[in-house]
Amino acid sequence: MFESAEIGHSIDKNTFREAMPKLREALLDLQYDLKEKADFPVLILIHGFDGAGRGETMNLINEWLDPRLIDTVAFAEANDDARARPWMWRYWMQLPAKGRIGMFFGSYYSDALFDRVFARSDRDALDKQIFDILRFERMLTMDGALVLKFWFHLTREQQHKRLKQMEKDPASSWRVTKTDWEHYERYDKIRKSAEHILRLTNTAAAPWVVVDGEDANYRSLTVGNTLLNAIRNRLAQAQGSKAELIDAPPLLAPIDNKLLLDTLKMNQSMDKAKYKAELEQLQGRLHRLTRHPRFAQHSLVLAFEGNDAAGKGGSIRRITQALDARRYRVVPIAAPTQEEKAKPWLWRFWRHVPGKGGITIFDRTWYGRVLVERVEGFAKEADWMRAYYEINDFEHQLSENGAVIVKFWLAISKEEQMARFKGREETGFKRFKITEEDWRNRDKWDAYKLAVSDMVDRTSTSKVPWTLVEANNKYYARIKILKTICDALETRLA
């Protein structure tokens, strides 16, 4: 895979001096076009052998372009915050917004490569990391991102020569570290593992560009022209070239019109005395479970969806009454902000993922993409159809990192909803709870019921199942929710 980068590419000084000003001007023009259109972000990944010009190239890109529109991030070893979350979390947090360029010096590829080189993982673990990477990059590119991946290459002899030259020069000797020489001693292992990784992640949507790193002029023009052509081609394509791919067959309502929600027995009974007794017992149980020593190795993610006026807020309050206020966070989800719209759609949920020992309660969730965005037409069919896969992958990553995820759909009958709407309108301190949007959603009751049934069918997994809550009786609903959370925690902590 590296043969073409080892044949001695070079560009003479005169050719470089002649080509460089035109290239810089063209790149700057494209960068401002990218900013104005803001249809997609550009993500540049810088990888390769020590001494092959990675740092010089990163600095050159910032020099040739407007650095105010570039988000440059150099990733080192994961800190405590990152280690407490899924390994992709810190990369999600640094993704560039639409219209901007993000440049990662080191990335998730560094994690996978050096875990293998330093025997922190075996071949199976490496391939699992590669699969995680492929899913991540697929999400980015399907969301419209332009992903450019560079591997700066040197032969073993070239790397030795380059490191020695840098050590002898007082202006650059500080840049050669003990780690560089440790990597040099493992050159063959790095090359072998890198070739395996590049081969499996060299996709049509996010291909690798292998660059001969020995000659600075050749290296600089190669990277510059690659950026120029890639951004120019993407800008020339209509609407940022977002792929209109659908990952599943069309969703049709059952021919007998019987849906999952129709099977729920809404009018469950529970009197106030029994409710109070069970509530106190369950809140104590939940408190003890979240203070269990083994909970420090886990986190708790509670996801609440449901019909308008189904009692999500009241249920959440009964949960938080049992928790240490320093350890939980309630995240209400509304329409995305401009900042959130500029990032991949799951970014705004990744940013609230709790660390080990933490608790996050989502009042509305990532399922809005396959519910309100689907029904109201805010997302294209291709986008909400692929969201099922991306949601399952998101929850899988959280679960693999130790999160206990409990998802609730609170269901009430259409008649009960009408009664609650009217009650809110007639009660002064509850009027703020009823909006015009609630009434509009009610007009699309059947469309939402179909969307919910599809959502449960496609995202209720053995590790992260949905719990459907019959919520006409608020007492019954709150007790069922608390029991479900406690049972899930006990199972995971056992």
Side-chain angles (χ1 to χ4, degrees):
M1 194 161 189
F2 301 128
E3 287 82 358
S4 292
E6 296 180 349
I7 61 177
H9 294 283
S10 64
I11 294 290
D12 63 79
K13 290 183 180 180
N14 290 333
T15 302
F16 178 77
R17 287 171 180 166
E18 182 178 347
M20 188 262 290
K22 297 177 183 178
L23 178 58
R24 290 186 64 175
E25 183 179 353
L27 280 169
L28 267 174
D29 287 342
L30 280 179
Q31 186 182 22
Y32 291 129
D33 287 345
L34 175 68
K35 174 181 178 291
E36 290 302 315
K37 292 188 177 181
D39 286 333
F40 62 93
V42 178
L43 179 61
I44 302 170
L45 305 185
I46 304 292
H47 289 278
F49 284 108
D50 299 316
R54 297 171 301 157
E56 293 95 322
T57 301
M58 182 178 68
N59 293 334
L60 190 71
I61 292 172
N62 275 295
E63 178 185 339
W64 283 6
L65 298 176
D66 187 339
R68 295 171 299 177
L69 302 176
I70 302 177
D71 303 315
T72 303
V73 186
F75 289 98
E77 290 291 322
N79 59 20
D80 289 343
D81 265 357
R83 283 192 292 269
R85 292 170 171 84
W87 77 292
M88 281 291 185
W89 172 79
R90 61 178 179 150
Y91 305 111
W92 270 98
M93 293 301 95
Q94 300 295 340
L95 289 176
K98 292 177 182 177
R100 297 185 63 85
I101 296 173
M103 185 159 49
F104 287 1
F105 184 80
S107 73
Y108 37 90
Y109 284 107
S110 300
D111 295 342
L113 175 61
F114 290 108
D115 280 352
R116 183 68 182 124
V117 168
F118 287 95
R120 295 190 292 264
S121 68
D122 56 20
R123 184 64 171 266
D124 289 342
L126 172 61
D127 286 345
K128 182 182 181 300
Q129 288 178 302
I130 289 172
F131 186 51
D132 290 342
I133 289 169
L134 287 170
R135 297 197 314 272
F136 178 59
E137 290 184 347
R138 180 180 181 274
M139 290 183 203
L140 296 183
T141 56
M142 290 289 287
D143 205 58
L146 175 60
V147 180
L148 302 171
K149 305 184 296 195
F150 293 97
W151 176 269
F152 294 88
H153 189 72
L154 291 174
T155 65
R156 184 183 181 91
E157 294 73 20
Q158 289 170 339
Q159 186 183 32
H160 185 271
K161 179 181 176 182
R162 173 73 169 149
L163 293 177
K164 284 293 186 182
Q165 287 175 339
M166 292 170 66
E167 276 190 330
K168 289 179 182 178
D169 186 346
S172 60
S173 60
W174 62 273
R175 295 171 56 191
V176 182
T177 67
K178 180 181 178 181
T179 301
D180 294 331
W181 285 113
E182 288 177 352
H183 289 174
Y184 169 73
E185 293 299 326
R186 292 170 172 80
Y187 178 92
D188 291 338
K189 288 183 178 180
I190 292 174
R191 179 184 175 122
K192 182 179 179 180
S193 296
E195 186 171 16
H196 179 73
I197 292 170
L198 266 63
R199 177 172 56 84
L200 293 181
T201 59
N202 188 49
T203 62
W208 280 97
V209 178
V210 179
V211 181
D212 185 340
E214 185 175 27
D215 182 81
N217 294 338
Y218 173 83
R219 182 178 68 223
S220 300
L221 290 185
T222 298
V223 172
N225 279 294
T226 300
L227 293 178
L228 180 72
N229 292 330
I231 298 173
R232 176 184 286 161
N233 289 343
R234 175 57 66 83
L235 284 169
Q237 296 174 22
Q239 299 179 357
S241 185
K242 282 187 72 174
E244 294 294 327
L245 298 178
I246 296 178
D247 294 326
L251 300 182
L252 302 175
I255 57 175
D256 62 358
N257 292 319
K258 186 176 182 180
L259 296 173
L260 178 64
L261 295 184
D262 295 327
T263 66
L264 297 179
K265 297 179 180 178
M266 295 296 189
N267 294 314
Q268 301 288 339
S269 62
M270 178 172 286
D271 60 46
K272 193 169 185 178
K274 183 179 181 183
Y275 163 70
K276 285 188 173 182
E278 291 203 30
L279 177 66
E280 183 177 357
Q281 184 268 328
L282 286 166
Q283 286 179 331
R285 183 178 165 199
L286 177 59
H287 180 79
R288 290 189 296 274
L289 285 167
T290 55
R291 298 184 70 85
H292 193 287
R294 283 198 289 274
F295 184 70
Q297 300 304 313
H298 297 274
S299 60
L300 179 62
V301 176
L302 302 179
F304 282 86
E305 292 283 358
N307 297 120
D308 295 323
K312 294 182 294 297
S315 297
I316 290 171
R317 283 194 296 275
R318 273 63 186 184
I319 293 167
T320 57
Q321 287 169 359
L323 302 176
D324 183 338
R326 296 168 296 181
R327 301 179 65 191
Y328 75 82
R329 183 180 181 190
V330 178
V331 180
I333 299 298
T337 64
Q338 289 302 116
E339 179 189 21
E340 291 167 343
K341 287 180 179 178
K343 300 289 183 78
W345 72 278
L346 277 172
W347 174 83
R348 64 177 177 145
F349 306 107
W350 271 102
R351 69 195 298 201
H352 297 303
V353 168
K356 297 288 178 65
I359 301 166
T360 301
I361 304 171
F362 288 93
D363 184 355
R364 300 293 189 186
T365 70
W366 43 95
Y367 284 98
R369 173 137 297 198
V370 296
L371 294 175
V372 64
E373 292 187 41
R374 166 185 171 172
V375 174
E376 303 296 339
F378 298 150
K380 296 178 182 178
E381 183 180 7
D383 291 332
W384 62 257
M385 284 287 279
R386 69 183 170 88
Y388 293 120
Y389 173 88
E390 295 175 1
I391 286 169
N392 285 333
D393 179 62
F394 171 55
E395 293 175 354
H396 172 76
Q397 290 188 60
L398 300 187
S399 179
E400 287 290 293
N401 193 59
V404 179
I405 308 168
V406 192
K407 305 183 297 191
F408 298 101
W409 175 265
L410 276 67
I412 56 176
S413 67
K414 201 170 184 179
E415 297 74 22
E416 177 64 20
Q417 186 186 62
M418 175 60 79
R420 293 186 184 184
F421 277 11
K422 288 189 176 296
R424 288 179 173 183
E425 284 188 329
E426 294 167 1
T427 305
F429 65 87
K430 289 186 177 181
R431 281 193 197 118
F432 75 94
K433 291 186 175 184
I434 186 76
T435 67
E436 288 298 320
E437 184 179 352
D438 294 328
W439 288 107
R440 286 196 301 272
N441 291 344
R442 182 174 168 80
D443 290 338
K444 297 181 179 179
W445 182 274
D446 291 337
Y448 275 103
K449 187 164 71 170
L450 176 60
V452 172
S453 296
D454 288 337
M455 173 192 76
V456 174
D457 285 343
R458 289 174 174 263
T459 61
S460 192
T461 63
S462 58
K463 282 192 173 181
V464 191
W466 275 99
T467 298
L468 304 181
V469 181
E470 305 87 338
N472 275 10
N473 184 309
K474 292 182 179 180
Y475 297 157
Y476 174 86
R478 293 167 186 171
I479 295 303
K480 180 172 182 177
I481 288 166
L482 282 164
K483 280 182 178 178
T484 303
I485 297 168
C486 292
D487 290 346
L489 284 171
E490 285 185 345
T491 299
R492 197 65 176 267
L493 298 178

